[in-house]
Amino acid sequence: LVLPLENQMKTPESFPYILAGGIYTTLAIQIVFGLFGYICFTDATQAIITFNLPQGALSVVAQLGISATIFLTYPLVFYVPISILMPIMKDKLKSIHSYDIEFAMRLLFLVVTVALATSIPHIELFIQLIGASGGIILALIYPSVCHLIVFDLSVGQKILTISILFVGVVACGVGTVYAVITMVKTLS
């Protein structure tokens, strides 16, 4: 999703600054909301933050806002898989129009994700496990390893990259163990 945005910009050289600004703004918003949510509800904080709100208009407005956000952004999740699979599917299904193939793939992805979300009990535990293992691997470990292998780095850059890699491995290990322990406690 990032590369097409960069390619469409008038000044692509300013893209790293715009991307960093967007990432840091999102990070700050998530930290503030998470911190205030925990400060308000302390140990009684539930996995889905809207469950902590008292029943009433505020809770309904918050849930409607979150629902609208998910509804409007959910198609973006499928942008990369669709762009990778479309050429393959077009070659295999030449008699079917490409719009129909894309629609069918998006519908299939939607049905599969909704079926998983509704069929797995305690979905928040499953999401926690996936985030602690796969998310950290994709966000910290894999990019650091690629950075070490592909680029000729100075000593300072190597130290920084190895530090990020170390933090990723520790976070992945601790997060995965914690997620498994929480899952076992909840399901037993």
Side-chain angles (χ1 to χ4, degrees):
L1 191 61
V2 171
L3 291 176
L5 291 175
E6 183 178 6
N7 292 336
Q8 296 294 324
M9 289 181 63
K10 280 186 179 178
T11 55
E13 60 274 359
S14 64
F15 182 74
Y17 304 107
I18 293 170
L19 180 63
I23 289 172
Y24 289 131
T25 302
T26 303
L27 178 66
I29 290 169
Q30 289 181 348
I31 288 173
V32 167
F33 271 86
L35 183 64
F36 285 147
Y38 187 75
I39 288 171
C40 288
F41 302 108
T42 60
D43 291 336
T45 304
Q46 296 184 32
I48 300 172
I49 195 69
T50 56
F51 288 172
N52 294 302
L53 297 174
Q55 295 299 321
L58 178 63
S59 177
V60 171
V61 168
Q63 289 175 359
L64 286 173
I66 291 171
S67 297
T69 301
I70 292 170
F71 178 75
L72 295 173
T73 60
Y74 198 67
L76 288 175
V77 174
F78 298 133
Y79 180 81
V80 173
I82 294 291
S83 65
I84 292 170
L85 293 174
M86 272 304 288
I88 298 167
M89 297 306 285
K90 278 184 190 178
D91 288 342
K92 294 196 183 286
L93 305 170
K94 293 179 183 175
S95 63
I96 301 174
H97 193 271
S98 63
Y99 176 79
D100 295 332
I101 296 170
E102 183 175 348
F103 181 79
M105 286 182 4
R106 287 183 182 275
L107 184 63
L108 177 68
F109 287 159
L110 176 70
V111 168
V112 167
T113 55
V114 169
L116 284 173
T118 56
S119 65
I120 297 173
H122 302 288
I123 188 77
E124 71 275 3
L125 300 175
F126 183 68
I127 292 171
Q128 182 182 8
L129 178 64
I130 296 299
S133 57
I136 292 175
I137 289 170
L138 288 174
L140 296 175
I141 297 173
Y142 183 68
S144 298
V145 170
C146 289
H147 197 244
L148 285 171
I149 292 170
V150 172
F151 296 104
D152 184 28
L153 304 172
S154 67
V155 174
Q157 290 173 325
K158 283 183 183 178
I159 290 172
L160 180 62
T161 304
I162 290 171
S163 300
I164 293 170
L165 180 63
F166 176 76
V167 168
V169 169
V170 170
C172 183
V174 170
T176 302
V177 167
Y178 178 77
V180 169
I181 289 171
T182 305
M183 193 177 288
V184 167
K185 281 182 183 177
T186 303
L187 297 176
S188 62

Short mmCIF file of all heavy atoms in Angstrom, two decimals, residues 3 10 13 18 23 26 36 39 42 50 66 81 88 90 93 96 100 103 108 127 136-137 142 154 167 172 174-175 184:
data_model
loop_
_atom_site.label_atom_id
_atom_site.label_comp_id
_atom_site.label_asym_id
_atom_site.label_seq_id
_atom_site.Cartn_x
_atom_site.Cartn_y
_atom_site.Cartn_z
N LEU A 3 4.02 1.80 -1.41
CA LEU A 3 4.69 2.15 -2.67
C LEU A 3 3.78 2.84 -3.67
O LEU A 3 4.19 3.83 -4.29
CB LEU A 3 5.33 0.90 -3.28
CG LEU A 3 6.53 0.36 -2.50
CD1 LEU A 3 7.02 -0.93 -3.14
CD2 LEU A 3 7.64 1.38 -2.43
N LYS A 10 3.49 14.14 -5.88
CA LYS A 10 4.19 15.13 -6.71
C LYS A 10 5.68 15.16 -6.37
O LYS A 10 6.52 15.30 -7.24
CB LYS A 10 3.59 16.52 -6.49
CG LYS A 10 2.33 16.78 -7.23
CD LYS A 10 1.92 18.24 -7.03
CE LYS A 10 0.65 18.53 -7.80
NZ LYS A 10 0.20 19.90 -7.59
N GLU A 13 10.26 12.40 -2.95
CA GLU A 13 11.39 12.47 -2.02
C GLU A 13 10.97 12.91 -0.62
O GLU A 13 11.67 12.66 0.36
CB GLU A 13 12.50 13.38 -2.56
CG GLU A 13 12.08 14.81 -2.81
CD GLU A 13 11.47 15.05 -4.18
OE1 GLU A 13 11.37 14.10 -4.99
OE2 GLU A 13 11.06 16.19 -4.46
N ILE A 18 6.63 12.19 5.45
CA ILE A 18 5.18 12.08 5.58
C ILE A 18 4.81 10.75 6.22
O ILE A 18 3.96 10.68 7.12
CB ILE A 18 4.50 12.24 4.20
CG1 ILE A 18 4.70 13.68 3.70
CG2 ILE A 18 3.02 11.89 4.26
CD1 ILE A 18 4.30 13.91 2.28
N ILE A 23 3.05 7.67 10.98
CA ILE A 23 3.29 6.57 11.93
C ILE A 23 3.38 7.10 13.35
O ILE A 23 2.78 6.55 14.28
CB ILE A 23 4.55 5.78 11.53
CG1 ILE A 23 4.27 4.97 10.26
CG2 ILE A 23 5.00 4.87 12.66
CD1 ILE A 23 5.50 4.31 9.67
N THR A 26 -0.06 8.25 14.64
CA THR A 26 -0.86 7.08 14.99
C THR A 26 -0.38 6.45 16.29
O THR A 26 -1.19 6.10 17.16
CB THR A 26 -0.82 6.04 13.84
OG1 THR A 26 -1.27 6.66 12.64
CG2 THR A 26 -1.68 4.83 14.16
N PHE A 36 -4.92 6.26 28.84
CA PHE A 36 -6.11 6.79 29.52
C PHE A 36 -7.13 5.69 29.79
O PHE A 36 -7.80 5.70 30.83
CB PHE A 36 -6.75 7.92 28.72
CG PHE A 36 -5.99 9.22 28.81
CD1 PHE A 36 -5.96 10.09 27.74
CD2 PHE A 36 -5.29 9.56 29.95
CE1 PHE A 36 -5.26 11.28 27.81
CE2 PHE A 36 -4.59 10.75 30.04
CZ PHE A 36 -4.58 11.62 28.96
N ILE A 39 -5.73 3.95 32.82
CA ILE A 39 -5.83 4.80 34.01
C ILE A 39 -7.28 4.84 34.51
O ILE A 39 -7.52 4.79 35.71
CB ILE A 39 -5.31 6.23 33.70
CG1 ILE A 39 -3.79 6.20 33.55
CG2 ILE A 39 -5.72 7.20 34.80
CD1 ILE A 39 -3.20 7.51 33.04
N THR A 42 -8.14 0.69 35.26
CA THR A 42 -7.07 -0.07 35.92
C THR A 42 -7.14 -1.57 35.59
O THR A 42 -7.20 -1.93 34.44
CB THR A 42 -7.08 0.18 37.44
OG1 THR A 42 -8.32 -0.23 37.99
CG2 THR A 42 -6.82 1.63 37.77
N THR A 50 -14.45 -0.71 24.46
CA THR A 50 -15.82 -0.18 24.56
C THR A 50 -16.65 -0.95 25.58
O THR A 50 -17.67 -0.44 26.04
CB THR A 50 -16.53 -0.20 23.20
OG1 THR A 50 -16.51 -1.53 22.68
CG2 THR A 50 -15.87 0.75 22.22
N ILE A 66 -16.47 3.19 15.96
CA ILE A 66 -15.54 2.09 15.68
C ILE A 66 -16.07 1.24 14.52
O ILE A 66 -15.31 0.83 13.64
CB ILE A 66 -15.30 1.25 16.94
CG1 ILE A 66 -14.49 2.07 17.96
CG2 ILE A 66 -14.58 -0.05 16.61
CD1 ILE A 66 -14.37 1.43 19.32
N PRO A 81 -2.94 -8.42 -0.78
CA PRO A 81 -3.19 -9.78 -1.28
C PRO A 81 -3.90 -9.81 -2.63
O PRO A 81 -3.56 -10.64 -3.49
CB PRO A 81 -4.07 -10.43 -0.21
CG PRO A 81 -4.01 -9.56 0.97
CD PRO A 81 -3.51 -8.24 0.55
N ILE A 88 -2.26 -13.82 -11.09
CA ILE A 88 -2.29 -15.29 -11.11
C ILE A 88 -3.69 -15.78 -11.47
O ILE A 88 -3.85 -16.67 -12.31
CB ILE A 88 -1.86 -15.85 -9.74
CG1 ILE A 88 -0.42 -15.44 -9.43
CG2 ILE A 88 -2.02 -17.36 -9.68
CD1 ILE A 88 -0.01 -15.68 -7.99
N LYS A 90 -6.07 -14.11 -13.03
CA LYS A 90 -6.42 -13.73 -14.41
C LYS A 90 -5.88 -14.74 -15.41
O LYS A 90 -6.55 -15.08 -16.38
CB LYS A 90 -5.86 -12.35 -14.74
CG LYS A 90 -6.68 -11.21 -14.24
CD LYS A 90 -6.06 -9.90 -14.72
CE LYS A 90 -6.67 -8.71 -14.09
NZ LYS A 90 -6.02 -7.47 -14.52
N LEU A 93 -8.03 -18.04 -14.93
CA LEU A 93 -9.45 -17.92 -15.25
C LEU A 93 -9.65 -16.89 -16.36
O LEU A 93 -10.28 -15.86 -16.16
CB LEU A 93 -10.22 -17.51 -13.99
CG LEU A 93 -10.06 -18.41 -12.77
CD1 LEU A 93 -10.66 -17.76 -11.55
CD2 LEU A 93 -10.70 -19.77 -13.02
N ILE A 96 -13.25 -15.49 -17.39
CA ILE A 96 -14.04 -14.68 -16.45
C ILE A 96 -13.46 -13.27 -16.42
O ILE A 96 -12.25 -13.07 -16.40
CB ILE A 96 -14.00 -15.32 -15.04
CG1 ILE A 96 -14.56 -16.74 -15.08
CG2 ILE A 96 -14.80 -14.47 -14.05
CD1 ILE A 96 -14.44 -17.48 -13.78
N ASP A 100 -15.06 -9.52 -11.94
CA ASP A 100 -15.75 -10.62 -11.26
C ASP A 100 -14.77 -11.44 -10.40
O ASP A 100 -15.12 -11.88 -9.31
CB ASP A 100 -16.45 -11.53 -12.27
CG ASP A 100 -17.58 -10.81 -13.00
OD1 ASP A 100 -18.16 -9.87 -12.41
OD2 ASP A 100 -17.87 -11.19 -14.15
N PHE A 103 -13.97 -9.32 -7.32
CA PHE A 103 -15.13 -9.31 -6.42
C PHE A 103 -15.24 -10.63 -5.67
O PHE A 103 -15.47 -10.65 -4.46
CB PHE A 103 -16.41 -9.03 -7.22
CG PHE A 103 -17.64 -8.97 -6.36
CD1 PHE A 103 -17.92 -7.83 -5.63
CD2 PHE A 103 -18.49 -10.06 -6.27
CE1 PHE A 103 -19.04 -7.77 -4.81
CE2 PHE A 103 -19.62 -10.02 -5.46
CZ PHE A 103 -19.89 -8.86 -4.73
N LEU A 108 -14.67 -13.78 -0.79
CA LEU A 108 -14.12 -14.96 -0.11
C LEU A 108 -13.30 -14.57 1.11
O LEU A 108 -13.47 -15.14 2.19
CB LEU A 108 -13.26 -15.78 -1.08
CG LEU A 108 -12.56 -17.00 -0.48
CD1 LEU A 108 -13.59 -18.06 -0.10
CD2 LEU A 108 -11.55 -17.56 -1.45
N ILE A 127 -6.10 -13.18 18.85
CA ILE A 127 -5.50 -11.97 18.27
C ILE A 127 -4.24 -11.60 19.04
O ILE A 127 -3.24 -11.19 18.44
CB ILE A 127 -6.53 -10.82 18.26
CG1 ILE A 127 -7.64 -11.13 17.28
CG2 ILE A 127 -5.88 -9.48 17.95
CD1 ILE A 127 -8.82 -10.18 17.34
N ILE A 136 5.06 -9.14 15.59
CA ILE A 136 6.40 -8.67 15.95
C ILE A 136 7.44 -9.20 14.97
O ILE A 136 8.39 -8.51 14.62
CB ILE A 136 6.73 -9.05 17.41
CG1 ILE A 136 5.83 -8.24 18.35
CG2 ILE A 136 8.19 -8.79 17.72
CD1 ILE A 136 5.95 -8.60 19.79
N ILE A 137 7.25 -10.43 14.51
CA ILE A 137 8.18 -10.97 13.51
C ILE A 137 8.15 -10.11 12.25
O ILE A 137 9.19 -9.74 11.70
CB ILE A 137 7.85 -12.44 13.18
CG1 ILE A 137 8.21 -13.33 14.37
CG2 ILE A 137 8.58 -12.91 11.93
CD1 ILE A 137 7.72 -14.75 14.26
N TYR A 142 11.93 -9.57 10.98
CA TYR A 142 12.17 -9.77 9.56
C TYR A 142 12.82 -8.55 8.89
O TYR A 142 13.82 -8.70 8.18
CB TYR A 142 10.88 -10.17 8.86
CG TYR A 142 11.04 -10.47 7.40
CD1 TYR A 142 11.76 -11.58 6.97
CD2 TYR A 142 10.50 -9.64 6.44
CE1 TYR A 142 11.92 -11.85 5.62
CE2 TYR A 142 10.65 -9.90 5.09
CZ TYR A 142 11.36 -11.01 4.69
OH TYR A 142 11.52 -11.26 3.36
N SER A 154 27.28 0.78 8.40
CA SER A 154 28.37 1.22 9.27
C SER A 154 28.21 0.53 10.63
O SER A 154 27.19 -0.11 10.90
CB SER A 154 28.32 2.74 9.44
OG SER A 154 27.17 3.11 10.17
N VAL A 167 15.41 -6.46 20.57
CA VAL A 167 14.13 -6.06 21.19
C VAL A 167 12.99 -6.86 20.58
O VAL A 167 12.09 -7.33 21.30
CB VAL A 167 13.89 -4.54 21.03
CG1 VAL A 167 12.46 -4.16 21.38
CG2 VAL A 167 14.88 -3.76 21.87
N CYS A 172 8.90 -10.77 21.10
CA CYS A 172 8.20 -11.90 20.50
C CYS A 172 8.13 -13.07 21.49
O CYS A 172 7.08 -13.67 21.68
CB CYS A 172 8.88 -12.31 19.21
SG CYS A 172 8.05 -13.64 18.33
N VAL A 174 8.56 -13.07 24.89
CA VAL A 174 7.78 -12.74 26.09
C VAL A 174 6.30 -12.64 25.75
O VAL A 174 5.44 -13.18 26.46
CB VAL A 174 8.29 -11.43 26.73
CG1 VAL A 174 7.36 -10.95 27.82
CG2 VAL A 174 9.69 -11.62 27.29
N GLY A 175 5.97 -11.95 24.65
CA GLY A 175 4.57 -11.79 24.26
C GLY A 175 3.91 -13.11 23.93
O GLY A 175 2.75 -13.35 24.31
N VAL A 184 -4.21 -20.50 28.08
CA VAL A 184 -4.38 -21.74 28.85
C VAL A 184 -5.21 -21.46 30.11
O VAL A 184 -6.11 -22.23 30.45
CB VAL A 184 -2.99 -22.35 29.20
CG1 VAL A 184 -3.12 -23.44 30.24
CG2 VAL A 184 -2.31 -22.86 27.95
#
